[in-house]
Amino acid sequence: METINKYEIKAANFKTYTGEIDIIAQKGKVICFIEVKTRKEGGLFAPAEAVNYHKQNNIKSAASAYMNRYKLKNETRFDIIEVLLSEENLYNVSSINHIKNAF
């Protein structure tokens, strides 16, 4: 798999009956379950605010399924990556914010 910023990407769009995880990556011994949220710049809410309690529980449940499927005992972490798109051109990314231990 690919390595980005010392994160080894293990899976993308991992789906279970309870939910989906956008990216599963490993950095050192820590398995990171990452939710990616994209919004247009200048919106009323930050992208991370879309990851509510219900969504967090779905991600945690899917993460548990992943850990059980592969019999992993690693430390885990739940992150959010916010992607903000330019108001003028939605094909231009204006910023990316990686929130570690988001929930």
Side-chain angles (χ1 to χ4, degrees):
M1 292 294 300
E2 189 173 354
T3 301
I4 301 171
N5 291 337
K6 298 184 182 178
Y7 287 85
E8 182 183 350
I9 307 302
K10 298 291 194 178
N13 302 316
F14 177 81
K15 295 178 185 175
T16 69
Y17 65 92
T18 60
E20 178 182 355
I21 300 171
D22 293 329
I23 300 169
I24 301 172
Q26 184 169 350
K27 187 169 188 178
K29 295 182 181 190
V30 178
I31 303 288
C32 303
F33 298 95
I34 304 166
E35 178 69 8
V36 179
K37 286 296 178 191
T38 304
R39 297 288 184 270
K40 186 170 76 169
E41 234 178 1
L44 294 176
F45 302 101
E49 292 181 60
V51 186
N52 61 26
Y53 179 77
H54 179 71
K55 179 72 172 170
Q56 290 174 18
N57 283 339
N58 287 347
I59 293 168
K60 288 177 182 178
S61 178
S64 180
Y66 179 86
M67 297 296 285
N68 288 333
R69 179 180 294 175
Y70 297 104
K71 298 175 178 33
L72 300 173
K73 303 283 185 204
N74 301 55
E75 179 183 342
T76 60
R77 190 175 83 202
F78 296 90
D79 296 357
I80 298 172
I81 293 179
E82 296 179 312
V83 179
L84 288 175
L85 303 176
S86 167
E87 285 188 76
E88 296 80 35
N89 182 348
L90 295 180
Y91 293 105
N92 287 339
V93 174
S94 63
S95 68
I96 297 173
N97 181 29
H98 183 181
I99 304 168
K100 298 175 184 173
N101 288 313
F103 56 93

